[in-house]
Amino acid sequence: MDLRIEDHALLGDLETAALVGRDGSVDWLCLPRFDSPAACAALVGTPANGSWRLAPRAVGARAHRAYRPGTLVLDTVWQTPDGAVRITDFMPPRATRPCLVRRVEGIRGAVPVRSVLRLRFHQGRIVPWLRSVGPCTVAVAGPDAVWVRADGPAHESLDPATGTATLDTVLAPGQRCALTLVWAPSHLAEPPAELTVPAQTLLKETVAFWRRWSARCAYEGPWRPAVLRSLITWKALTHAPTGAVLTAATTSVPHGPDGEHDGDGRSCGLDGFGPALGTLLRCGLRTEATHRLDWLLRAAAGDPGGLQAVYGIAGERRLRQTDAAWFGGRPVRFGDATAGRFRFAAYGEVLDALRVALDAGLPMPGLGSGRFVADLTRTVEPAWRRPVVRVPADEALMAWVAVDRGLRMARELDRRDDTTPWSALRAEIRGHLEALGALPRGTALRMADVGFHPASHPRVRAALDGPRGAAPPVTEELRRIRVLAGLGRRGAARAAFERVLAARSDVGLLAERWDPGTGRRLGNAPSAPAQLALVTTALALDEPRLTG
């Protein structure tokens, strides 16, 4: 199976997500939560690991797809020798249970359309029992049940032996058939109430929800469509009940020829937390920034020595890891056993975020006395002086950020008595970094982002045009563009930004990494840090007209 992550569009209900390919197949769906076991896992395996394809039966059918403006509702128009149909895919924002709706509408002629549903619970491994309950098909295995109902002219057949449900329909122009999938705990015998709501009602409500949210975006610069699509994608990767934001919707999607991957993207990393808050605030999304900060404070609460760079959606610290061997034997990881490892990056990211929040006047319960800031900053010194192996350059830079931000906030929070050793520690870490030889390209560029060096510093300049890795993170390329803009090389920065925009998928999504040579998108997707970094970069390149 030739995996192409760029072929997949995102659907979501603010608590979980689905990825649907150009061929009409839902290849990734975790139920009931973003980080729950996958029920459709073809993305990291094969269709036998779970998929739901809905498309015309004709060979050679051609598809064009696009999100409805300002929404996460996906329309795909299929052209066939028999005519044309429109398939509309969406997930209504969660009320009680996750719900995925796929509506087929005849446009021209009479097009035979087939739905083939293969659910495989527990990371694509378990074939569920299938049965009919009234007008519904029910798939059950362990704690999970999925109910599917067709509303419209259709013929359905079940194959319990293979756990496959097939539905065929032929629609004249203007005719519609909607398939609604709802997850529920398997011990509940009654059909979920969501199945009784007309698909047209759910569609109108979903479109209205996203357009109300999109209208709050204050950015009115030249890249508004790209900025708004990135913000919608970022929002779709936000867990509404907790305020957490996933790194990505997927796990273990490869970025290297030998199956190398960045692990499970469905955890919540802190990388770039402070700049993300600043970007949301500049776009007029103060509610989102406040909700995000609330999540951070809850996740970081407790022993300051136990701060992590990665948490679970609800702030969980222990992220149980399991591995599987799929996709030609390559490893697929679910969870992250390394989440609890000490990282200076965690302290730098949290203290940088608190600095941004303090400057913006965001509410921070429990931070009023500044003790939390002092406790976090004090934790860095003994860790820095611990006689262990050499601290990597990127970790050393974030240790400097932690102490620098702690010092600055201590002055504003009237805790200068605690800061006597911090100035010396900050200078010591700076000296360590300045004494290092060649730096990783990403670290050198980040020095300008965090205020360690100005953009004009020789180390930063050297990284601008230095060699890239085979599949660099998209966030690194966007950081490079912001450094170019900071140097006044705005023409070069804008040209590079347009290349990144061209590297998005046909529906405007960015993966974790990209190959500048081939233009391929690689790794987990969509990437929340990459989508928000695109917005940050647009703001840096433009003096946008902001409203509100």
Side-chain angles (χ1 to χ4, degrees):
M1 182 178 178
D2 180 22
L3 173 71
R4 290 179 58 87
I5 191 63
E6 59 263 47
D7 287 347
H8 290 81
L10 175 72
L11 309 174
D13 68 353
L14 304 182
E15 294 192 41
T16 193
L19 292 185
V20 56
R22 289 178 190 264
D23 62 353
S25 178
V26 173
D27 291 330
W28 185 253
L29 175 62
C30 297
L31 296 169
R33 205 170 82 156
F34 286 114
D35 56 354
S36 297
C40 291
L43 190 71
V44 290
T46 71
N49 295 115
S51 62
W52 183 10
R53 188 165 191 263
L54 177 64
R57 298 185 63 179
V59 176
R62 293 176 291 108
H64 173 76
R65 62 183 184 171
Y67 287 115
R68 296 191 183 184
T71 79
L72 202 67
V73 174
L74 182 72
D75 284 322
T76 304
V77 175
W78 289 88
Q79 303 285 349
T80 81
D82 299 312
V85 294
R86 178 184 296 106
I87 296 178
T88 301
D89 293 320
F90 63 98
M91 297 184 75
R94 183 83 59 95
T96 304
R97 298 189 180 94
C99 176
L100 170 57
V101 181
R102 314 196 71 184
R103 191 185 73 167
V104 189
E105 180 180 7
I107 299 175
R108 176 175 53 83
V111 180
V113 175
R114 171 165 285 184
S115 163
V116 179
L117 176 63
R118 300 183 187 92
L119 292 171
R120 299 294 184 264
F121 294 124
H122 195 62
Q123 319 292 28
R125 296 170 176 166
I126 297 177
V127 179
W129 286 352
L130 284 182
R131 69 180 189 273
S132 295
V133 178
C136 302
T137 296
V138 187
V140 174
D144 300 296
V146 166
W147 297 70
V148 182
R149 179 171 181 169
D151 181 12
H155 172 73
E156 187 173 20
S157 61
L158 304 183
D159 184 353
T162 62
T164 303
T166 303
L167 180 144
D168 287 291
T169 184
V170 181
L171 300 174
Q175 278 191 311
R176 295 171 180 167
C177 179
L179 305 177
T180 302
L181 177 152
V182 181
W183 177 92
S186 61
H187 64 273
L188 299 180
E190 295 299 317
E194 288 83 353
L195 292 173
T196 65
V197 182
Q200 183 66 11
T201 299
L202 294 173
L203 177 59
K204 288 181 178 178
E205 291 174 350
T206 302
V207 169
F209 168 86
W210 282 108
R211 287 187 174 157
R212 282 195 305 270
W213 189 85
S214 296
R216 294 166 48 204
C217 173
Y219 176 79
E220 295 292 347
W223 293 291
R224 181 174 168 83
V227 164
L228 185 56
R229 177 53 51 198
S230 282
L231 288 171
I232 290 171
T233 306
W234 176 88
K235 176 67 173 177
L237 295 172
T238 300
H239 186 248
T242 64
V245 177
L246 276 69
T247 300
T250 60
T251 184
S252 301
V253 176
H255 61 73
D258 297 322
E260 303 99 321
H261 59 76
D262 292 321
D264 197 336
R266 299 169 303 158
S267 54
C268 305
L270 304 187
D271 188 41
F273 207 108
L277 290 182
T279 296
L280 293 172
L281 290 166
R282 289 191 66 191
C283 289
L285 301 174
R286 191 175 183 88
T287 298
E288 278 68 23
T290 301
H291 202 197
R292 187 89 172 97
L293 179 65
D294 288 346
W295 175 86
L296 178 66
L297 293 173
R298 295 194 308 272
D303 179 8
L307 202 63
Q308 297 183 186
V310 179
Y311 291 90
I313 288 173
E316 300 95 336
R317 300 194 176 204
R318 297 187 64 183
L319 306 182
R320 182 174 174 269
Q321 179 176 317
T322 58
D323 297 306
W326 287 344
F327 210 64
R330 74 169 181 84
V332 175
R333 181 191 306 164
F334 304 96
D336 188 349
T338 69
R341 183 181 301 166
F342 181 90
R343 296 271 311 279
F344 286 112
Y347 292 84
E349 298 290 0
V350 171
L351 285 161
D352 187 46
L354 296 180
R355 172 70 192 188
V356 172
L358 188 64
D359 288 348
L362 294 179
M364 292 185 283
L367 192 67
S369 67
R371 178 172 296 177
F372 185 51
V373 168
D375 287 346
L376 290 178
T377 311
R378 272 196 296 266
T379 303
V380 174
E381 182 170 15
W384 178 260
R385 303 193 188 287
R386 195 177 299 146
V388 293
V389 293
R390 182 175 63 88
V391 178
D394 58 334
E395 284 285 293
L397 178 61
M398 294 313 293
W400 179 88
V401 170
V403 180
D404 178 75
R405 299 328 189 242
L407 267 168
R408 293 170 185 241
M409 282 188 287
R411 297 188 187 106
E412 293 185 29
L413 295 170
D414 199 26
R415 296 191 66 91
R416 291 185 179 87
D417 55 318
D418 295 325
T419 67
T420 304
W422 298 355
S423 294
L425 178 60
R426 181 174 63 177
E428 180 182 331
I429 298 173
R430 173 176 282 278
H432 169 82
L433 280 162
E434 290 179 340
L436 294 177
L439 294 174
R441 181 174 183 265
T443 303
L445 291 171
R446 194 167 197 183
M447 284 178 164
D449 246 12
V450 301
F452 184 89
H453 281 321
S456 58
H457 192 276
R459 272 188 156 176
V460 180
R461 283 180 171 271
L464 282 176
D465 302 310
R468 299 179 176 93
V474 174
T475 52
E476 181 179 302
E477 179 61 17
L478 289 165
R479 183 173 288 127
R480 173 181 173 272
I481 293 168
R482 294 196 295 274
V483 172
L484 283 171
L487 286 170
R489 296 170 58 182
R490 303 188 71 80
R494 286 176 177 246
F497 188 56
E498 292 293 344
R499 286 194 292 273
V500 172
L501 294 179
R504 297 175 302 155
S505 72
D506 63 313
V507 289
L509 306 187
L510 288 167
E512 287 177 317
R513 297 171 180 266
W514 72 312
D515 183 340
T518 65
R520 286 290 306 273
R521 275 72 77 188
L522 304 166
N524 289 323
S527 165
Q531 301 285 173
L532 207 56
L534 183 149
V535 179
T536 305
T537 307
L539 293 172
L541 291 175
D542 180 53
E543 293 297 330
R545 299 184 299 275
L546 295 175
T547 61

